[in-house]
Amino acid sequence: MATAPPLRDVQCFAHVARHLGFSRAAAELGMSQPAVSQAVARLERQLGVALFERSSRAVRLTPAGAGLLPYADTLLETAAAFTAEAARLAAPPRSSIQLAYAPLVGALAARAARRLAGREPAIDVELRPLGWRAATEALARGEVPAALLSAPFPLGCTTGARFHVAVAHLAVPAGDPLAALPRVTPALLGRHKVLMPRVRPPGGMWARLAGTLRGAYQHQEVADDIDDYAALLDLVAAGIGLLPAPRLLATSIRRPDVRYVPFDAGDLRLTFGLAWPAGRVPAEVTTLVHAVQETLWTR
């Protein structure tokens, strides 16, 4: 045999072998039955072997046909992989962008990433969960073009797609008497410690809450910034302190050792937004801002 048989003929052979019939093979291939029969006959002539035993009632593989079928399947799979890889190499490279984000708003970051991955042309988003300080430093060093983080926003940055997250619950240990109350006010927390960050910028939610809890109240400062609220639930469960809980946390993370009690301490809310270095706005950042805004509008 001087040349390899055409793939189309091999494909017809494999389909007839799978169905043991020319009519069903032809229907699956979108060909006429005579065309499939001719392709198989042509392949048999080129190979010099009979692939099927034909009768008026049935079609059966010959021993040669049964022996060659696995090779035919491998050949067709390799050809399909070859075509797919060629198409991948021929396609223009996908754009990508890195986005740092606060863990609390990870669900929003993920939805924005899916939105960009599904558009045409697609944009891949590399998500990097970072705390406020780490995200700010990554922006300053140029490691990420944008970050989805909470106020106060870094100096020298422009912000967009701002939104608020209400802090309307208090996370308490499941066995604490506060867990049985319909709601909690600051007046009930005199003998409890409240988990807080050491850094509380003026005008921010934590500064307002600290002002409300002046006097006999105790603060348990746990870090410079509070970003990973989910991790702090371990401290709540251990009885180390109570945690003012954003609504996102209360609705997304349920634990048997923690209860979320409505917290009536005034208008407490965290402000989030997309921040990027001031100056010329790269096209990828503009696209990211639009994706976050669209995600907020449709959530």
Side-chain angles (χ1 to χ4, degrees), residues 12-261:
C12 289
F13 159 59
H15 277 70
V16 173
R18 183 180 302 117
H19 295 290
L20 291 179
F22 286 85
S23 297
R24 282 179 291 175
E28 188 173 276
L29 289 166
M31 299 171 61
S32 66
Q33 181 176 338
V36 173
S37 298
Q38 291 168 12
V40 172
R42 185 167 53 245
L43 181 63
E44 289 176 320
R45 288 195 301 272
Q46 185 171 3
L47 297 177
V49 295
L51 300 173
F52 296 101
E53 294 177 355
R54 304 166 177 81
S55 70
S56 58
R57 293 185 177 181
V59 174
R60 295 185 180 85
L61 279 166
T62 64
L68 289 173
L69 182 59
Y71 294 97
D73 289 337
T74 300
L75 180 62
L76 294 171
E77 290 170 3
T78 302
F82 175 84
T83 302
E85 180 64 9
R88 187 189 69 81
L89 293 172
R94 289 168 64 129
S95 300
S96 64
I97 184 172
Q98 291 194 58
L99 173 64
Y101 68 94
L104 181 64
V105 292
L108 174 66
R111 289 200 300 272
R114 288 197 301 271
R115 181 179 292 273
L116 289 175
R119 57 169 287 170
E120 188 61 43
I123 297 178
D124 293 323
V125 180
E126 180 184 340
L127 295 175
R128 293 182 57 183
L130 296 176
W132 189 93
R133 189 174 300 275
T136 300
E137 292 173 353
L139 282 172
R141 291 194 297 264
E143 295 176 1
V144 295
L148 190 59
L149 73 175
S150 62
F153 300 108
L155 293 176
C157 283
T158 304
T159 61
R162 293 194 183 194
F163 61 98
H164 303 291
V165 175
V167 180
H169 293 81
L170 193 68
V172 305
D176 192 284
L178 293 175
L181 297 179
R183 68 180 185 129
V184 175
T185 63
L188 300 174
L189 303 181
R191 292 183 293 176
H192 292 78
K193 288 186 177 181
V194 178
L195 302 179
M196 284 200 176
R198 284 186 286 272
V199 178
R200 300 189 288 271
M205 189 278 290
W206 292 110
R208 293 197 302 274
L209 181 58
T212 302
L213 300 179
R214 275 200 201 105
Y217 301 103
Q218 303 179 69
H219 304 160
Q220 179 68 33
E221 295 178 341
V222 293
D224 287 345
D225 309 297
I226 288 182
D227 293 297
D228 194 349
Y229 286 82
L232 291 183
L233 293 179
D234 294 334
L235 303 184
V236 174
I240 295 174
L242 311 179
L243 177 65
R247 184 170 291 139
L248 283 174
L249 184 72
T251 56
S252 61
I253 299 181
R254 297 290 181 177
R255 294 177 48 155
D257 51 1
V258 172
R259 295 289 183 271
Y260 298 104
V261 184

